[in-house]
């Protein structure tokens, strides 16, 4: 009886030690961000780390709204000047619940663009806080300069 118990404990330890430090195959990080409330709705501010996690499993349209052009973050889908975004809706998804992530050089122009999109009825707008400056401070590249 003692031998069976010892074997069972040993097998349990082997199985448990194989699991230590491993992540489940279905691991995913939920990005919460910080909600910015407007009269017409809200958009979400995200950090560089949150954007990096989102880019790993990209499910959004990624737009650089900075003018003049000063480069892109890898994975950028479109460049639309922040002050022309309302006139360029034909370049955006027809579904106003589609996820749209915006950025610019410092975060100011993309905040203005995010507010514009929310006022126009878009309900899933995200903005990179600190923009490309924050991205570069983390040692990450800007392409196409």
């Amino acid at each position: 009886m003692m031998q069976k118990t010892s074997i069972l404990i040993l097998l349990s330890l082997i199985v448990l030690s194989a699991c230590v430090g491993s992540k489940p195959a279905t691991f995913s990080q939920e990005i919460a961000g910080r909600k910015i409330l407007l009269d017409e709705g809200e958009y979400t501010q995200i950090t560089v780390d949150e954007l990096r996690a989102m880019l790993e499993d990209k499910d959004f349209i990624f737009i650089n709204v900075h003018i003049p052009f000063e480069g892109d973050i890898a994975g950028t889908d479109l460049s639309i000047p922040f002050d022309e975004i309302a006139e360029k809706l034909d370049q955006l998804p027809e579904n106003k619940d589609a996820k749209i992530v915006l950025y610019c050089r410092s975060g100011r122009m993309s905040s203005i663009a995010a507010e514009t999109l929310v006022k126009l009825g878009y309900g899933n707008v995200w903005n990179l806080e600190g923009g490309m400056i924050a991205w570069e401070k983390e040692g990450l590249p800007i392409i196409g300069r």
Side-chain angles (χ1 to χ4, degrees):
M1 182 71 160
M2 177 96 159
Q3 187 176 14
K4 287 183 181 180
T5 303
S6 296
I7 292 172
L8 184 59
I9 290 172
L10 181 60
L11 287 174
S12 297
L13 288 173
I14 292 170
V15 170
L16 287 175
S17 67
C19 295
V20 173
S22 65
K23 293 180 183 176
T26 59
F27 175 77
S28 67
Q29 180 180 4
E30 185 172 325
I31 307 299
R34 182 172 56 92
K35 301 294 181 192
I36 305 298
L37 302 176
L38 306 171
D39 290 338
E40 300 83 359
E42 66 184 29
Y43 67 92
T44 305
Q45 289 276 70
I46 53 172
T47 65
V48 169
D49 286 340
E50 289 171 322
L51 176 58
R52 287 176 70 187
M54 291 170 70
L55 284 167
E56 287 179 15
D57 191 22
K58 190 171 176 270
D59 65 347
F60 54 89
I61 185 166
F62 193 31
I63 306 173
N64 180 352
V65 296
H66 188 75
I67 52 173
F69 180 79
E70 293 190 37
D72 284 323
I73 294 173
T76 299
D77 298 304
L78 297 170
S79 287
I80 301 174
F82 81 100
D83 58 351
E84 296 177 16
I85 200 148
E87 291 82 37
K88 307 274 182 161
L89 297 180
D90 60 323
Q91 295 182 36
L92 301 179
E94 287 185 31
N95 177 359
K96 290 193 175 185
D97 290 324
K99 187 185 292 185
I100 299 172
V101 179
L102 306 170
Y103 73 94
C104 65
R105 183 81 187 134
S106 69
R108 182 66 192 130
M109 290 178 188
S110 55
S111 292
I112 293 168
E115 290 176 17
T116 300
L117 290 177
V118 169
K119 289 176 184 174
L120 292 169
Y122 286 85
N124 198 0
V125 180
W126 301 64
N127 179 49
L128 175 59
E129 189 169 19
M132 290 187 282
I133 292 172
W135 185 261
E136 287 180 302
K137 279 185 181 178
E138 295 295 322
L140 300 166
I142 300 297
I143 58 173
R145 288 190 203 205

